Amino acid sequence: MKSITATIVALTLISKASVAAFTPNPHVSRSSVTQLNGLFDGMKDAFSAPALERSSLASERETPIDRWMGWNVQAEPEILSVSDAPANFVDAMEEANYVTSSLPKPMGIVFEENDEEFGGIFVLSLSEGGSAETDGTIKPGDQLVAVNTQKVAGNKFDDALGVIVDSETEMTKLVFFRGNEAQFYGPTGASKDWLDDFIAKE
């Protein structure tokens, strides 16, 4: 009889202990429970910051977590900017960068040949009191482009100067590009067709 009574008491204690284990503790703060339960709630927000949303991933590297986080897998278009032209750039296909002068001979112009890679001749200096200095149009450094209607751009020194010497008109028209040899003969220089059309109009 005593054995049965002890067994009943033991079962009762175990039952009360089990109930207590699953009964909320009134002394535990609800905020603490909420913080623990919400430990992972803000993870997506934290990793979905604007900076990461703008991140781009190669499509072949996209993973399930990338899609869950909403990360962008499309590369943003690259914005290309056109660099500004150098400060000393002179457009060889702009008519405003050419000058024309009709002079009698002797003209009082000292010519010099450009480096061999460019060819052509340019004005080295003007003779004091000569017709070119008096006219005031031509400046040292000007590139000789044409004589009358004949293009001499790119010619060797003797060939270009010979066209001036052989001119039989009272006034010889000279066309110059106001810039250096690299600007005229280089990659950004005037095209052959443009130059031919320009000379034909002069």
Side-chain angles (χ1 to χ4, degrees):
M1 185 66 179
K2 289 182 178 180
S3 176
I4 294 174
T5 303
T7 301
I8 294 173
V9 172
L11 290 174
T12 302
L13 292 175
I14 291 173
S15 177
K16 289 182 177 179
S18 300
V19 173
F22 292 96
T23 301
N25 190 339
H27 300 290
V28 176
S29 170
R30 292 184 60 85
S31 61
S32 299
V33 175
T34 301
Q35 290 174 3
L36 289 174
N37 290 339
L39 179 61
F40 298 100
D41 292 346
M43 180 176 291
K44 184 174 181 179
D45 293 337
F47 285 96
S48 298
L52 287 176
E53 286 181 349
R54 290 193 298 268
S55 300
S56 60
L57 302 171
S59 58
E60 63 270 13
R61 295 174 54 195
E62 183 183 6
T63 64
I65 195 170
D66 295 329
R67 292 191 293 270
W68 183 71
M69 291 295 183
W71 289 337
N72 182 18
V73 297
Q74 298 296 329
E76 294 182 354
E78 183 180 0
I79 299 175
L80 300 178
S81 60
V82 179
S83 59
D84 294 334
N88 62 345
F89 174 74
V90 180
D91 189 354
M93 289 197 289
E94 174 57 58
E95 294 186 12
N97 294 322
Y98 290 81
V99 295
T100 301
S101 179
S102 295
L103 301 170
K105 293 186 285 188
M107 299 176 177
I109 304 173
V110 179
F111 288 99
E112 181 63 69
E113 191 169 23
N114 291 312
D115 291 341
E116 186 176 353
E117 62 175 311
F118 297 115
I121 63 176
F122 68 97
V123 178
L124 180 64
S125 62
L126 301 177
S127 300
E128 186 176 354
S131 58
E133 184 187 55
T134 302
D135 178 74
T137 302
I138 302 169
K139 305 293 181 184
D142 288 347
Q143 297 286 325
L144 182 62
V145 175
V147 178
N148 292 324
T149 58
Q150 183 173 343
K151 184 172 70 174
V152 298
N155 288 4
K156 294 182 178 180
F157 183 86
D158 290 340
D159 294 337
L161 203 60
V163 178
I164 298 176
V165 174
D166 294 342
S167 174
E168 297 179 352
T169 57
E170 181 179 352
M171 304 290 284
T172 300
K173 184 177 70 174
L174 305 178
V175 180
F176 294 90
F177 168 69
R178 182 140 293 165
N180 61 42
E181 66 272 23
Q183 293 163 341
F184 183 68
Y185 294 104
T188 60
S191 67
K192 179 182 180 300
D193 291 341
W194 185 92
L195 201 57
D196 289 343
D197 290 343
F198 173 69
I199 294 172
K201 292 191 302 184
E202 288 293 314

